[in-house]
Amino acid sequence: MPKIAIDPITRIEGHLRIEAQVDGGRVAEAWSSSTMFRGMELVLKGRDPRDAWLFAQRI
Amino acid sequence: MEDALGITVPDNARIIRNLISGIQYVQDHVIHFYHLHALDWVDITSALGADPGETAKLAQSISSWPKSSAVYFKAVQDRLKRFVESGQLGLFANGYWGHPAYKLPPAANLMAVAHYLEALDWQREVIKIHAILGSKNPHPQTYLVGGMSIPLDPNSAAALNADKLALQRQLLVTAKAFVDQVYVPDVLAIAPFYKEWAGLGAGAGNYLAYGDFPIDTSGDPARLWLPRGVILNRDLSRVHPMDQRQITEQVTHSWYEYSDGDGRARHPWDGETNPKYTGPKPPYEFLETDKKYTWLKAPRYNGLPMEVGPLARMLVAYASGHAGVKAGVDGVLKALGVGPAALSSTLGRIAARAIETQLTAAELLTWHDQLVANMKRGDLKIHNGAKWDPATWPKEAQGWGFHEAPRGALGHWVRIKDGAIVNYQCVVPSTWNASPRDAQGQRGPYEASLLSTPVVDPNKPVEILRTVHSFDPCMACAVHVTGSAREPITRIQVV
């Protein structure tokens, strides 16, 4: 039962990894992983809430 | 912020926000179809062997789009040949060309390549609306708490004036023409070759839409052009009301820790973002998927995983009896000869995105006309500044901002104290869709959608890409750095 990992998935925005267990030519189990931390929530703490949109927009 | 402080934005701000978001849908969905997804279905190398005369016949049979002569398609093919002969495939370098899962005849492949290239030029033009209304793209600059900051004045060169509105209308017509005459006909022409994908990639089967595009400034969630609601277990006979208090995030399988234990499910107002990487040290072969394995939290609605995005929006609207969506969905189902159950699939996501684009491209003209009518009446109000000054705010406040981004339901939760943010949590569309397992072991939508997907060759898993790409993943905008030695960008490991 081969296990495969595709990393990164291309033609998307950002970083995504898929691991899959293949059994008899079909996916038997799959895991989705984002391999990059974003942390916008920490950037915004303590700031003027009127500025939040300008930061959050960058997500 | 507007929810936290009880601010109503002027009608012109409502319309301009709808226009900015609406043209974003149209541009983004077309880019997704041609530039991010089509190459999972279209074999570029097969287009090299196509008869341009056959392609012309095919193109003319499905659309009145003028660029459809044999001479035109021959020129596209020659351009493609020069790409290949130069040895620099560029955008087309990384693909599983020749894979048996590609089913389109050469003539259709050539047509799709031509439209891939046309769409590149088109998208650059139509998004100029963001420059007009938002000063730039990406990241329009004219938003403000309480409205927008772009001045309205038909007669001023420094404002949104009559000339700019005329250009905007022309761009909206250009946008709609390509969607009606190229994008939608292409989806309908390609889909019949891949009908098995209407039975694959179903996913969580639960759909969440916050709804968006306010019809008026009432703030009433019933007054949204795309409606709000929840569908459970693919049951289109019932749309459940959406209550944002039912949303939580878990970190059982995510590289975060909660102060009171990782088993907790926290509402975003009480959310915590404490990163703690416990995964393997790179480079690694595989993640420890029985433990924590991703930087995404696991959002749940009433404890259930939810798919968000165009399919969720179209299903909620369809099941709610939205006239435009009902006509669009029924038309596509009839053209493809399938029933509504086929929508919960990889192909269903592609169809829903195309239907949504077509409806939005038409509705944009209505919003444009509303803005013009307001300005003609002398209504130039764009901002409500009554609560701009923090001295007018309560000592503490909390709010929820919702939006249907192109990729799905987007929510931001804020808590404000003494004029500053004390907590801000974003639950973005791809966090819902790419979610890991939760404390109960329930798979996220990508994970669930991949079960039973055929994989003919584990070294070339194009089938997995088809289903993952159908969601239009957006993990975080990023700059990707790769080596200059032309090593393969993506590593496929088979063990």
Side-chain angles (χ1 to χ4, degrees):
Chain A
M1 191 148 89
K3 188 170 185 185
I4 64 175
I6 314 175
D7 183 12
I9 300 262
T10 55
R11 295 194 179 98
I12 66 163
E13 292 183 33
H15 296 254
L16 176 67
R17 173 186 176 100
I18 296 286
E19 292 190 7
Q21 199 89 50
V22 180
D23 188 14
R26 288 192 182 259
V27 174
E29 199 47 272
W31 296 270
S32 158
S33 174
S34 174
T35 56
M36 197 175 70
F37 175 58
R38 188 186 62 211
M40 196 60 81
E41 289 83 354
L42 305 180
V43 172
L44 283 163
K45 240 175 210 175
R47 290 191 185 271
D48 187 325
R50 292 170 299 183
D51 294 341
W53 68 271
L54 195 58
F55 289 90
Q57 192 187 45
R58 265 70 191 167
I59 297 170
Chain B
M1 277 295 289
E2 288 162 0
D3 180 52
L5 300 173
I7 297 170
T8 300
V9 305
D11 196 45
N12 290 324
R14 168 192 73 85
I15 298 168
I16 288 175
R17 289 178 182 184
N18 283 358
L19 285 163
I20 289 176
S21 301
I23 195 65
Q24 179 79 38
Y25 273 39
V26 173
Q27 187 218 23
D28 220 58
H29 288 352
V30 169
I31 289 175
H32 175 261
F33 180 70
Y34 286 103
H35 307 130
L36 301 180
H37 202 13
L39 301 186
D40 298 337
W41 313 96
V42 172
D43 188 338
I44 295 285
T45 54
S46 152
L48 291 170
D51 171 359
E54 285 294 314
T55 303
K57 238 189 267 173
L58 169 67
Q60 288 161 17
S61 75
I62 62 167
S63 171
S64 54
W65 187 243
K67 289 184 173 176
S68 64
S69 70
V71 174
Y72 172 69
F73 288 118
K74 174 76 169 54
V76 171
Q77 196 178 39
D78 288 345
R79 196 172 157 194
L80 189 61
K81 271 181 190 154
R82 284 197 299 274
F83 259 132
V84 175
E85 282 161 8
S86 73
Q88 294 191 319
L89 277 171
L91 291 169
F92 304 133
N94 199 17
Y96 300 130
W97 314 134
H99 193 288
Y102 285 105
K103 306 285 189 203
L104 290 184
N109 281 315
L110 179 56
M111 181 178 76
V113 172
H115 294 163
Y116 178 112
L117 297 171
E118 284 179 48
L120 279 175
D121 290 332
W122 169 91
Q123 60 85 25
R124 187 194 59 227
E125 283 304 304
V126 301
I127 207 62
K128 284 179 181 169
I129 289 173
H130 275 201
I132 295 171
L133 299 177
S135 297
K136 73 183 188 67
N137 171 274
H139 310 315
Q141 294 297 289
T142 53
Y143 286 84
L144 264 188
V145 171
M148 301 294 287
S149 65
I150 176 174
L152 306 186
D153 185 343
N155 303 311
S156 165
L160 182 61
N161 57 31
D163 284 354
K164 288 177 187 164
L165 286 170
L167 172 60
Q168 176 166 287
R169 189 159 215 295
Q170 189 190 320
L171 291 168
L172 290 172
V173 170
T174 303
K176 187 174 185 302
F178 190 83
V179 170
D180 288 344
Q181 295 176 49
V182 183
Y183 174 31
V184 171
D186 279 0
V187 170
L188 294 176
I190 291 171
F193 292 95
Y194 291 107
K195 267 198 183 166
E196 65 188 287
W197 289 89
L200 291 167
N206 304 317
Y207 302 93
L208 168 74
Y210 295 151
D212 208 345
F213 301 104
I215 293 166
D216 55 37
T217 57
S218 65
D220 178 357
R223 302 286 293 159
L224 299 170
W225 176 59
L226 290 181
R228 175 174 294 183
V230 171
I231 288 173
L232 299 173
N233 275 323
R234 300 182 193 100
D235 178 7
L236 300 183
S237 70
R238 188 155 175 220
V239 179
H240 301 264
M242 201 293 300
D243 175 4
Q244 62 89 9
R245 288 170 301 182
Q246 299 301 318
I247 294 168
T248 58
E249 289 192 301
Q250 304 183 13
V251 296
T252 326
H253 287 283
S254 316
W255 290 312
Y256 299 91
E257 57 183 355
Y258 279 167
S259 54
D260 50 357
D262 291 355
R264 274 285 302 274
R266 306 185 77 97
H267 183 273
W269 270 328
D270 300 314
E272 294 180 358
T273 302
N274 307 316
K276 190 185 179 190
Y277 183 74
T278 53
K281 190 169 179 278
Y284 49 80
E285 242 186 302
F286 290 107
L287 294 163
E288 296 158 333
T289 47
D290 54 334
K291 299 176 187 155
K292 292 176 183 257
Y293 61 90
T294 178
W295 282 113
L296 297 186
K297 297 175 186 172
R300 294 294 181 263
Y301 181 83
N302 220 346
L304 296 170
M306 292 279 150
E307 176 171 344
V308 300
L311 177 58
R313 288 191 288 260
M314 292 300 99
L315 288 178
V316 166
Y318 186 77
S320 303
H322 185 290
V325 171
K326 195 145 183 356
V329 169
D330 284 338
V332 167
L333 292 177
K334 197 173 164 218
L336 300 178
V338 293
L343 289 166
S344 290
S345 67
T346 299
L347 199 56
R349 277 180 209 104
I350 296 169
R353 194 172 285 111
I355 294 163
E356 178 173 86
T357 310
Q358 191 162 36
L359 292 168
T360 307
E363 199 66 19
L364 276 162
L365 287 159
T366 309
W367 294 324
H368 172 89
D369 291 344
Q370 287 174 2
L371 180 62
V372 171
N374 279 0
M375 288 174 66
K376 270 192 183 150
R377 277 205 327 269
D379 175 8
L380 305 178
K381 192 165 165 30
I382 194 71
H383 185 244
N384 171 3
K387 292 190 178 156
W388 180 253
D389 183 352
T392 63
W393 302 352
K395 187 172 167 50
E396 288 186 52
Q398 61 181 22
W400 171 57
F402 70 89
H403 173 50
E404 284 290 339
R407 293 171 174 92
L410 167 66
H412 287 193
W413 283 259
V414 67
R415 282 186 117 136
I416 305 160
K417 194 178 175 192
D418 299 325
I421 294 170
V422 288
N423 197 6
Y424 198 104
Q425 295 288 324
C426 316
V427 184
V428 308
S430 291
T431 312
W432 285 101
N433 289 338
S435 153
R437 283 153 172 75
D438 55 28
Q440 284 71 43
Q442 298 180 98
R443 297 176 189 87
Y446 288 3
E447 296 176 336
S449 70
L450 287 171
L451 299 180
S452 300
T453 299
V455 179
V456 172
D457 178 355
N459 287 300
K460 295 179 176 175
V462 67
E463 302 95 334
I464 289 178
L465 293 185
R466 284 178 177 175
T467 290
V468 171
H469 279 159
S470 74
F471 286 90
D472 191 5
C474 178
M475 317 311 292
C477 292
V479 175
H480 300 256
V481 181
T482 62
S484 57
R486 298 189 61 103
E487 68 268 33
I489 294 166
T490 298
R491 214 153 58 102
I492 312 281
Q493 287 176 312
V494 184
V495 173

